[in-house]
Amino acid sequence: MTEASAVRFIELTIDGQSVRVPEGTTLLEACRGQGIATPTLCYLENLTPVNVCRVCVVELEGSRTLVPACSRRAETGMVVHTDSDRVRLSRRMVLEFLASSVDLSLAPAVGEYLRRYNAHPERLGPPAAGSERDFRPVGHHHQPDGTTAETVAQPVKVDNELYIRDYSRCILCYKCVEACGVDAQNTFAIAVAGRGFDARISTEFAVPLPESACVYCGNCIGVCPTGALMFSSEYELRQTGAWDEAKQAQTDTICPYCGVGCTLTLHVQDNQIVKVTSPLDHDVGHGHLCVKGRFGWQFVQNRTDPAKE
Amino acid sequence: MDLRLRATPPHATERAAVDAVLGPPESGWVGGVRRSESDGHVARGGHDMRTRRHLLLPALHAVQDRLGWISPEALNYICQRLDIPPAEAYGVVSFYALLSLSPQPPVVAHVCDDLACLTKGAGAICAELERTIGPAGTPSADSRVTWHRSPCLGLCEQAPAALILAAGDSPHTQTLSSIRAADVVTALRSDHAAETIPMILPQAGDTGLRLLRRVGVVDPTSLDSYRAHGGYTALRRALELGPSRVIREVTDSKLLGRGGAAFPMGRKWEAVAQAAIHPHYLICNADESEPGTFKDRILMEEDPFALLEAMTIAGFATDCQQGYLYIRGEYPHARERLAGAIAQAHARGFLGENVMGHGFRFDIELRRGAGAYICGEETALMNSIEGYRGEPRNKPPFPVQVGLFGKPTVINNVETLVNVLDIVLHGGLAFAAIGTPGSTGPKLFCVSGCVTRPGLYEVPFGVTLRELLALAGGVRDGGSLQAVLLGGAAGSFVTPDQLDTPLTFEGTRTIGASLGSGVVMVFDDTVDLKAIVLRIAAFFRDESCGQCVPCRVGTVRQQEQLQRLLTGHTLSTLPEELTLRADIGQVMRDASICGLVQTAASAIESALAKLQLLTPSRVS
Ligand SMILES: Cc1cc2nc3c(=O)[nH]c(=O)nc-3n(C[C@H](O)[C@H](O)[C@H](O)COP(=O)(O)O)c2cc1C
Ligand code: SF4
Ligand code: SF4
Ligand code: SF4
Ligand code: FES
Ligand code: FES
């Protein structure tokens, strides 16, 4: 911990209120400190800000463009507006762009944002049907006719027993890439490939996960905000219509495998563990786990009598 | 980080191509021969090896040049050599239009169908190639050749244009100008590169030229010829003056950047010169990909030593020992000239350990882009050099603080840099006396489209658009002017009633336009401007890096909606569509990471406002 005397404070104005924050504070943290609700999609406390979704933008006096609250650090004398017409319009458009191109039905936070910013994605056109998106070359595209709005709809990737990747739900927030890379796992099994609207999360040459470097830590699932990455157990229950969060209990426990002692949150439905998460504010793993804690719980439910095997 | 690599080794040719760039592998750990005495015990790698990541793009080029595509095995070998996760390397390859991830014929024609070429029949040429070779991207019947549609190749004064890239043991390239479809087919089928295109300089012989004074006069392949035409006198003078005096002259000159953003050069240099963190880096931005722009190409092809001299002065003034010259992949001829010039400058002590015997050390490395407009954005360019995807970085921090490899970096455009020679030779104040108070110095304009003499023109700032068009011989065949696109795809359309606007930064601002990179593209009344405007929308969609939502999705929505507006098949009432049009434009300007999409609505909005392109709405 830095000693209190060493911390320098910064004064700025947010929505007309004078605010004092420690040096290094982001505008998002400063806003949250003031109780100003700021939407975020690509930001997560335990990851480096990539500031790509732009839903958190705020107006900074003297700046030609709006600035991303999640990554911009507070500076003395800044005058910030978080709910001006410009801010509301950009947030609305970002949400309309996403909702018109991505299946957000499993991203509950976004539904709330869409209402708050009065977003009407349907004005961009009815969604176009999807297709395979893995091998699109960069460069020229067919001229659209404008009757539909292009989407990222594509087949679900089911290539291993532990989790599925449904990139029709992907908003390209880069969180999974960060979690798989330097921010947590250091495995680098996935990266962003392609360019523009064809940009996508991919393994090398889009090989199935079992042929990739993936070690199934599931940290990408843990950070995904849209349900694009999902436990197979959850996916299968959803397919049969049996998934029911109302019937689920969440129980915190300590992972039994090793001495690190990560906290596991077990999601249990009908006496079955259906998925495992870990709290972000946990000071050991910051929400990240390894394959054992994340997926190695079948033995708990192994109720067959060994003698009968 | 443990890489998971494939077991299949690369083909011998692929290995040789990579080793030619990276040197032979040091040990069995990185794909070499395993030496039992040492390799079993120590692995070299980690941080040490990852500092070589900047060699990724050069290694990829080597394989692409040799084989015409990058196979999984070749990529795997590069990853092993440079300790890069294959998924990341795949992400990099798939970012660039000139790198192929699937096998393709060795000989490929990139046929420009961008704005200037479109006004000169590129559409018909592409249609004919579709008939004779097959749809773009598919191999010919005998699998030996193929073709792609390309964004602007920077040859607009010689439109319609094409570029042929032939992979092989001795890869070759060929630039084709004023083409017909048959020329493309012939060139695809010929074994050797024909003559490169002629150099057209409409102002040749004009003794008042400054930036272009040596173009067409000096032998661009000879250092002696350059020196005989006054070369390296500015560097000598700079070395005498010392860094701070050079910066003062540059500041006094009030030179504004010519790459599009018009930033004062002196401020940039000052900031880097004073940065406490070392090393400092210098970058020359020669990515020139703004549709309609070809000025930097001509400077580099015809007067390459001038750019090297200017870069050396910049390095001296800002305390850099290493400069990078990042040139777009579509400029093979300029690249060759520069490589030759760098080698000669080195051999003769104008680059290297002891520049002109002054004890100053400076080197220039040539880096080749691979087909991505966005890599002209300064921070995307830095990521590209470093071996990452060419995605722009969020600012702040600015490059003068955190630039290439995280160090303070000066980045300037080719034309901006070449101006420094005169500033040093004649003084900043003398330079500032040229042009107008707000726009000092000479300026290059890339005039293309429907004019009598398309080409590169140098005029002092202050000349009006009308005067410039007169210099270029006016509208071709005595036709009548419909509109001028000023500043390129990122610029805006101006109409015949605005021809008296002075071509200065401040003058164009008064009519809501900008000079951008100096594009002046002329459309007479035979041109279908709807097709031009749609091509601009397609360009931004094709070239978005895809990082941020306002651009990744916004450029697609803009393109879809523009189609509706121009055909009249709107989804709602016209006023509702126009509100949507305005909303899309505003989020693009306001909320993105970089300048690409901040300017992506500009030309389109100006066209819709001024050019009566809307078809009456027929809501379906
Ligand atoms: C999308 C985009 C593309 C750009 N392309 C180029 C380019 O091709 N050449 C260039 O010099 N500057 C380009 N720029 C501007 C650079 O970011 C930067 O401002 C410039 O290199 C600075 O040099 P200057 O001050 O000498 O103009 C581009 C900017 C954007 C946003
Ligand atoms: S499960 Fe772990 S290793 Fe596999 S892709 Fe996700 S974050 Fe990377
Ligand atoms: S898969 Fe999920 S975490 Fe990864 S980029 Fe897409 S939305 Fe974000
Ligand atoms: S504005 Fe476009 S090109 Fe620039 S960072 Fe965003 S997505 Fe990439
Ligand atoms: S949350 Fe700030 S840009 Fe995404
Ligand atoms: S070369 Fe074709 S438009 Fe520039």
Side-chain angles (χ1 to χ4, degrees):
Chain A
M1 283 299 293
T2 334
E3 276 181 53
S5 60
V7 178
R8 296 213 325 201
F9 279 84
I10 277 175
E11 288 200 33
L12 69 162
T13 309
I14 303 180
D15 293 343
Q17 302 288 314
S18 164
V19 182
R20 220 168 99 90
V21 294
E23 191 172 24
T25 304
T26 60
L27 292 180
L28 177 67
E29 289 159 343
C31 287
R32 289 191 170 163
Q34 292 300 102
I36 297 168
T38 308
T40 59
L41 288 169
C42 66
Y43 171 83
L44 202 63
E45 288 78 345
N46 61 358
L47 302 172
T48 315
V50 286
N51 51 245
V52 295
C53 78
R54 317 304 281 187
V55 80
C56 69
V57 286
V58 295
E59 191 168 343
L60 171 63
E61 284 187 12
S63 166
R64 187 170 49 86
T65 58
L66 305 177
V67 303
C70 64
S71 64
R72 187 63 181 258
R73 297 197 185 280
E75 291 163 33
T76 299
M78 277 182 164
V79 180
V80 174
H81 304 281
T82 72
D83 203 36
S84 64
D85 287 348
R86 273 175 84 192
V87 169
R88 293 189 64 85
L89 181 86
S90 275
R91 289 182 180 175
R92 169 185 177 184
M93 291 312 294
V94 163
L95 292 164
E96 288 185 354
F97 284 162
L98 286 175
S100 66
S101 55
V102 184
D103 176 356
L104 295 173
S105 56
L106 295 181
V110 182
E112 205 272 303
Y113 297 160
L114 288 168
R115 281 187 295 281
R116 195 195 308 166
Y117 292 98
N118 192 24
H120 291 284
E122 63 286 352
R123 71 183 176 135
L124 293 160
S131 62
E132 188 59 53
R133 296 182 61 83
D134 279 344
F135 299 101
R136 305 199 170 185
V138 294
H140 283 54
H141 294 83
H142 280 292
Q143 178 69 42
D145 65 10
T147 55
T148 55
E150 191 171 339
T151 66
V152 297
Q154 59 191 294
V156 183
K157 287 181 169 37
V158 184
D159 57 13
N160 68 86
E161 291 177 7
L162 299 178
Y163 75 98
I164 62 96
R165 295 174 293 152
D166 182 359
Y167 290 129
S168 304
R169 302 180 186 280
C170 175
I171 57 168
L172 217 71
C173 69
Y174 287 53
K175 282 178 178 168
C176 54
V177 176
E178 291 204 292
C180 190
V182 283
D183 278 350
Q185 184 56 30
N186 269 289
T187 291
F188 302 91
I190 48 175
V192 180
R195 201 167 76 189
F197 194 71
D198 299 333
R200 59 205 175 258
I201 306 295
S202 182
T203 58
E204 63 275 18
F205 290 90
V207 297
L209 280 181
E211 289 172 37
S212 78
C214 176
V215 296
Y216 304 99
C217 63
N219 290 327
C220 51
I221 313 171
V223 296
C224 181
T226 61
L229 306 177
M230 190 183 277
F231 278 69
S232 298
S233 45
E234 174 174 349
Y235 179 69
E236 282 154 17
L237 288 172
R238 284 188 185 276
Q239 290 294 95
T240 60
W243 180 261
D244 186 355
E245 271 167 33
K247 281 167 59 187
Q248 288 172 15
Q250 294 185 16
T251 309
D252 280 3
T253 179
I254 302 292
C255 177
Y257 281 103
C258 85
V260 172
C262 301
T263 298
L264 305 182
T265 304
L266 307 178
H267 299 241
V268 179
Q269 178 181 333
D270 301 328
N271 212 23
Q272 294 278 333
I273 300 172
V274 290
K275 74 171 170 187
V276 171
T277 56
S278 181
L280 289 193
D281 57 1
H282 183 52
D283 54 12
V284 174
H286 303 286
H288 304 304
L289 297 171
C290 82
V291 58
K292 291 184 275 187
R294 185 80 66 181
F295 291 111
W297 30 261
Q298 283 78 2
F299 75 94
V300 180
Q301 315 188 135
N302 192 348
R303 298 191 186 86
T304 49
D305 181 350
K308 288 185 189 159
E309 294 266 294
Chain B
M1 175 177 66
D2 290 321
L3 300 188
R4 173 156 167 175
L5 298 161
R6 307 179 156 240
T8 346
H11 190 276
T13 335
E14 295 169 329
R15 181 187 289 270
V18 175
D19 289 355
V21 176
L22 304 181
E26 284 173 5
S27 73
W29 292 99
V30 291
V33 182
R34 185 150 180 199
R35 289 162 308 185
S36 51
E37 12 28 293
S38 57
D39 279 11
H41 306 289
V42 248
R44 297 273 305 282
H47 182 264
D48 218 28
M49 202 152 93
R50 284 196 292 275
T51 58
R52 305 207 317 153
R53 176 148 183 167
H54 65 99
L55 295 172
L56 176 58
L57 195 49
L60 293 169
H61 272 306
V63 175
Q64 176 75 33
D65 284 353
R66 196 80 161 255
L67 282 309
W69 74 294
I70 298 173
S71 72
E73 291 75 21
L75 188 67
N76 191 69
Y77 180 59
I78 294 173
C79 288
Q80 186 177 20
R81 293 295 314 276
L82 296 175
D83 204 25
I84 298 173
E88 280 198 2
Y90 180 78
V92 172
V93 182
S94 60
F95 193 83
Y96 295 105
L98 295 181
L99 302 177
S100 174
L101 281 162
S102 52
Q104 64 170 354
V107 187
V108 183
H110 296 268
V111 181
C112 177
D113 70 352
D114 218 326
L115 307 175
C117 293
L118 207 53
T119 66
K120 302 256 173 120
I125 292 172
C126 290
E128 199 171 328
L129 290 176
E130 268 170 12
R131 278 194 300 278
T132 47
I133 304 181
T138 54
S140 60
D142 64 0
S143 306
R144 289 194 33 226
V145 302
T146 187
W147 71 289
H148 294 290
R149 290 167 186 271
S150 171
C152 177
L153 292 166
L155 294 161
C156 326
E157 86 279 27
Q158 325 202 17
L163 172 70
I164 292 186
L165 302 178
D169 290 342
S170 47
H172 66 264
T173 59
Q174 189 184 346
T175 316
L176 304 174
S177 61
S178 306
I179 51 167
R180 294 159 303 147
D183 302 332
V184 179
V185 176
T186 312
L188 275 168
R189 297 289 179 185
S190 76
D191 285 338
H192 35 261
E195 286 285 280
T196 31
I197 47 157
M199 202 275 300
I200 306 171
L201 190 72
Q203 290 169 300
D206 181 340
T207 51
L209 295 178
R210 294 180 172 91
L211 290 162
L212 299 179
R213 65 173 171 266
R214 274 181 297 262
V215 169
V217 177
V218 77
D219 173 0
T221 63
S222 158
L223 176 56
D224 288 324
S225 174
Y226 180 62
R227 295 193 69 192
H229 289 89
Y232 282 110
T233 49
L235 177 58
R236 183 173 303 284
R237 175 102 182 102
L239 295 171
E240 285 161 18
L241 292 176
S244 46
R245 181 66 200 283
V246 170
I247 293 181
R248 202 165 82 221
E249 297 299 337
V250 169
T251 306
D252 286 348
S253 76
K254 298 202 271 172
L255 174 62
L256 301 181
R258 309 296 200 232
F263 190 83
M265 190 188 215
R267 288 236 308 270
K268 218 184 259 188
W269 284 27
E270 181 89 52
V272 172
Q274 290 179 356
I277 295 169
H278 281 82
H280 300 170
Y281 290 107
L282 170 78
I283 300 175
C284 170
N285 188 342
D287 195 55
E288 189 164 76
S289 309
E290 181 65 46
T293 318
F294 48 86
K295 61 191 178 72
D296 298 343
R297 175 181 53 82
I298 292 182
L299 284 175
M300 293 186 288
E301 286 178 351
E302 301 302 328
D303 199 6
F305 290 100
L307 178 57
L308 302 189
E309 183 181 356
M311 285 180 72
T312 311
I313 294 172
F316 175 67
T318 57
D319 198 9
C320 301
Q321 298 193 338
Q322 181 68 51
Y324 287 88
L325 206 174
Y326 187 97
I327 182 169
R328 70 181 300 202
E330 293 86 346
Y331 281 179
H333 191 47
R335 191 170 72 236
E336 217 170 275
R337 288 265 163 93
L338 286 164
I342 290 173
Q344 286 185 53
H346 241 282
R348 303 270 295 274
F350 291 98
L351 283 175
E353 290 297 320
N354 186 7
V355 172
M356 290 185 91
H358 196 272
F360 161 59
R361 181 175 154 195
F362 189 67
D363 271 306
I364 296 177
E365 230 184 280
L366 199 51
R367 288 303 177 102
R368 170 168 29 146
Y373 168 66
I374 190 57
C375 287
E377 196 282 339
E378 52 194 16
T379 58
L381 188 155
M382 291 168 195
N383 278 340
S384 179
I385 291 181
E386 291 180 24
Y388 293 89
R389 292 164 55 77
E391 293 175 352
R393 304 172 182 168
N394 202 60
K395 288 167 270 190
F398 292 94
V400 293
Q401 307 157 300
V402 182
L404 185 64
F405 303 116
K407 305 296 182 199
T409 302
V410 185
I411 176 164
N412 277 120
N413 169 262
V414 174
E415 182 190 348
T416 320
L417 281 163
V418 172
N419 275 303
V420 168
L421 301 179
D422 275 0
I423 292 174
V424 168
L425 281 176
H426 308 304
L429 295 176
F431 185 91
I434 306 166
T436 67
S439 307
T440 59
K443 177 75 194 102
L444 299 179
F445 287 100
C446 312
V447 183
S448 65
C450 315
V451 288
T452 310
R453 287 185 299 277
L456 185 59
Y457 290 84
E458 177 187 319
V459 290
F461 270 115
V463 162
T464 65
L465 183 51
R466 188 185 303 281
E467 288 161 343
L468 180 65
L469 293 187
L471 209 53
V475 176
R476 66 176 175 195
D477 308 326
S480 74
L481 181 67
Q482 191 175 184
V484 176
L485 179 62
L486 209 57
S492 45
F493 286 91
V494 300
T495 42
D497 56 304
Q498 297 174 315
L499 288 185
D500 291 314
T501 309
L503 294 172
T504 56
F505 295 112
E506 64 279 10
T508 48
R509 209 173 298 131
T510 59
I511 58 162
S514 70
L515 288 183
S517 52
V519 173
V520 176
M521 203 181 286
V522 178
F523 304 102
D524 66 15
D525 57 8
T526 66
V527 175
D528 173 11
L529 280 183
K530 288 188 181 183
I532 297 290
V533 178
L534 284 168
R535 183 66 187 91
I536 292 174
F539 175 80
F540 286 110
R541 183 249 170 100
D542 295 343
E543 298 297 332
S544 161
C545 87
Q547 237 188 140
C548 61
V549 177
C551 178
R552 179 175 75 240
V553 188
T555 53
V556 177
R557 296 293 176 258
Q558 165 165 280
Q559 189 189 21
E560 292 165 345
Q561 205 222 8
L562 186 64
Q563 181 74 27
R564 292 199 294 273
L565 289 174
L566 297 186
T567 56
H569 292 286
T570 52
L571 287 171
S572 51
T573 63
L574 187 57
E576 282 168 324
E577 287 274 18
L578 290 177
T579 304
L580 179 59
R581 169 61 259 168
D583 291 352
I584 292 174
Q586 191 171 334
V587 67
M588 284 179 163
R589 274 187 298 278
D590 264 358
S592 68
I593 293 178
C594 90
L596 181 138
V597 94
Q598 286 162 17
T599 54
S602 149
I604 293 165
E605 287 180 345
S606 70
L608 293 179
K610 295 181 193 168
L611 300 173
Q612 283 88 46
L613 299 179
L614 293 178
T615 304
S617 179
R618 283 169 273 146
V619 184
S620 26

